[in-house]
Amino acid sequence: MTRFVGQTIRSVREIDYNDGHGGFTAGLTLQFPSGSIRLLGLVDGLLIAHDQHLGAVEAHLHEDVTLARVVQTSGSCPSQWDAWTTTGQYLYLRYRHGEGTVEQHPSEDVDTWDGDESRLWTSWGDGTDGGQIEPTDFLVTAGLRLAPDAEVHTTPPIDPKA
């Protein structure tokens, strides 16, 4: 872990373990600007995994970082998207003044955003004052990926009231 000392944590995500007979939260992924590590509490100890495959246990680990649907809601400053993971979790993605954030919320309805199910998932700054970013660049920096059959809408919807 010494290679990450002094670096800002960009995101913290839960890792779930499910072997088909039940599941539990097994650990966390900590993402830093220069990489990530997984901290796993398996069997009676703590396992720290740096960019390594964990053998048979790997098939039972899951992080909800794959997006099934992405809808761009603003292409200007700020760049914004509504996104849903393959398990149906709603994420709000935003990039403004060189800072990107991913927030987890119960739904896209902003009235639901103040509860216990809302939290900051990822935050970073790129050292610019930019307000626009390509969706693919945002996803890579945020540690997210598209499912092979993901539905992506990059043109903001037209507001009929405008």
Side-chain angles (χ1 to χ4, degrees), residues 71-82 93 131 133 154-157:
V71 178
Q72 188 169 17
T73 58
S74 174
S76 60
C77 184
S79 293
Q80 297 178 152
W81 300 267
D82 289 331
L93 317 176
I133 189 171
T154 56
T155 305

Side-chain angles (χ1 to χ4, degrees), residues 11 23-24 37 41 47 49 57 66 76-77 86 95 98 112 115 125 127 132 137 147 158 160-161:
S11 71
F24 59 92
I37 58 171
L47 174 65
V57 74
T66 305
S76 60
C77 184
T86 54
Y95 178 80
T112 68
Q132 294 178 305
D137 294 336
I158 297 171
K161 298 175 193 169

Side-chain angles (χ1 to χ4, degrees), residues 57-79:
V57 74
E58 196 75 44
H60 303 294
L61 299 177
H62 176 74
E63 287 183 73
D64 202 9
V65 296
T66 305
L67 303 179
R69 184 170 183 239
V70 178
V71 178
Q72 188 169 17
T73 58
S74 174
S76 60
C77 184
S79 293

Side-chain angles (χ1 to χ4, degrees), residues 102-132:
V102 177
E103 298 174 9
Q104 174 183 314
H105 297 289
S107 76
E108 63 274 20
D109 179 359
V110 295
D111 291 336
T112 68
W113 290 16
D114 290 331
D116 292 336
E117 296 177 57
S118 295
R119 65 182 177 96
L120 180 66
W121 227 30
T122 302
S123 177
W124 77 91
D126 61 15
T128 71
D129 196 32
Q132 294 178 305

Side-chain angles (χ1 to χ4, degrees), residues 8-62:
T8 301
I9 297 174
R10 282 190 176 169
S11 71
V12 178
R13 291 189 303 267
E14 290 181 355
I15 302 171
D16 294 324
Y17 178 92
N18 192 327
D19 61 3
H21 302 294
F24 59 92
T25 300
L28 301 170
T29 295
L30 304 178
Q31 183 180 2
F32 298 90
S34 67
S36 62
I37 58 171
R38 295 184 291 174
L39 305 173
L40 300 165
L42 298 173
V43 189
D44 289 322
L46 176 65
L47 174 65
I48 300 173
H50 295 257
D51 304 320
Q52 67 191 45
H53 191 275
L54 300 175
V57 74
E58 196 75 44
H60 303 294
L61 299 177
H62 176 74

